[in-house]
């Protein structure tokens, strides 16, 4: 998922590199980031299903099993990944990355979900 500071970028329609996007894969459905202050994110991953809510606004609802071809999104556009997302591991490390800008995180919480009950 992409994090960015809105004050560094002019407002435009959300794209695959916008705040809240699944990087190079899927644009958020709307611009939900705050210009000032902290953004609140809830990222949920249940098997291939990924949802993202930013500031209580749902912005991503994706099924990674739809990415069946390396380097290609379900809509036919290109992406940077050399492996189809349906073949990515569903467990492992969580990485936080920046591209040279000041980035701050706080109150990060990780909760193991019960896949059977959906809780």
């Amino acid at each position: 998922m992409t994090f960015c500071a809105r004050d560094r970028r002019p407002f435009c329609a959300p794209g695959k590199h916008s705040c809240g996007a699944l990087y190079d894969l899927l644009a958020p459905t709307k611009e939900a980031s705050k210009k000032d202050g902290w953004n609140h994110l809830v990222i949920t991953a249940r098997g291939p299903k990924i949802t993202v809510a930013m500031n209580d606004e749902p912005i991503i609802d994706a099924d990674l099993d739809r990415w069946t071809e390396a380097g290609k999104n379900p809509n036919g556009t290109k992406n940077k990944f050399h492996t189809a997302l349906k073949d990515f591991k569903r467990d492992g490390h969580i990485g936080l990355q920046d591209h040279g800008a000041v980035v701050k995180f706080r109150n990060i919480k990780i909760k193991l979900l019960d896949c059977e009950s959906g809780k």
Side-chain angles (χ1 to χ4, degrees):
M1 206 215 63
T2 305
F3 300 96
C4 67
R6 277 190 58 202
D7 59 343
R8 294 184 62 216
R9 297 176 185 228
F11 178 78
C12 56
K16 296 187 300 182
H17 301 119
S18 297
C19 195
L22 293 185
Y23 186 77
D24 212 32
L25 300 170
L26 185 63
T29 56
K30 63 180 96 169
E31 172 56 65
S33 65
K34 296 178 183 177
K35 182 169 175 25
D36 297 308
W38 291 94
N39 288 299
H40 179 257
L41 288 148
V42 176
I43 303 167
T44 305
R46 275 196 178 84
K49 308 281 194 225
I50 306 292
T51 60
V52 178
M54 180 180 290
N55 302 317
D56 296 321
E57 295 282 341
I59 58 169
I60 293 286
D61 186 358
D63 181 346
L64 299 184
D65 283 346
R66 293 186 59 229
W67 276 262
T68 59
E69 199 173 329
K72 196 179 217 182
N73 295 318
N75 66 1
T77 60
K78 293 181 181 180
N79 68 49
K80 66 180 257 167
F81 299 99
H82 301 290
T83 301
L85 265 70
K86 72 172 188 61
D87 297 325
F88 275 30
K89 287 181 60 175
R90 306 293 180 180
D91 59 12
H93 300 282
I94 296 172
L96 304 174
Q97 171 183 331
D98 73 89
H99 290 279
V102 174
V103 179
K104 297 178 183 180
F105 301 93
R106 69 176 188 171
N107 299 329
I108 296 174
K109 299 173 186 172
I110 300 169
K111 177 181 173 184
L112 185 61
L113 301 177
D114 179 357
C115 292
E116 296 295 320
S117 69
K119 295 180 181 175

